[in-house]
Amino acid sequence: MFAHFAQAEEQGQSLDTMDTAEWMQLAQQCGLVEQYGLTKSTLLRIFAAGLQEEGFGAHDHEVELEASFEEFLEMIVVLATYVVRDPFLPTHNKITRLLDRIS
């Protein structure tokens, strides 16, 4: 999934990182926007949380961040925790449930 969308912006671009445009494309094509009603703002906050960038978007709207594969995995954990809101369900089960729904 990461490799596919990390190259979505420009062919020939490095597969090492995923930027916010590619993250948004992943969310759109995997049905996250329709299925969970996620807004652009929410998706950008999830992206920033995966990068551990607390103030992302607060000051400089021109800043473009990129996520490594490891940060992408963090974003999936944050996303799963956000959309599967059962507080008693272990995180690994939330991730499995999310991935089952979008694949």
Side-chain angles (χ1 to χ4, degrees), residues 3-63:
H4 176 75
F5 286 99
Q7 67 179 350
E9 182 93 355
E10 294 180 28
Q11 297 299 328
Q13 186 182 27
S14 172
L15 298 179
D16 295 340
T17 60
M18 174 181 285
D19 63 23
T20 54
E22 293 161 342
W23 172 248
M24 299 302 284
Q25 185 176 7
L26 178 148
Q28 192 72 30
Q29 289 186 10
C30 289
L32 297 172
V33 175
E34 297 84 21
Q35 190 170 5
Y36 297 107
L38 299 175
T39 64
K40 180 178 180 179
S41 175
T42 299
L43 288 165
L44 289 175
R45 284 196 316 264
I46 291 170
F47 186 91
L51 298 177
Q52 299 179 2
E53 293 285 338
E54 293 179 14
F56 176 66
H59 304 290
D60 187 1
H61 297 287
E62 299 299 318
V63 174

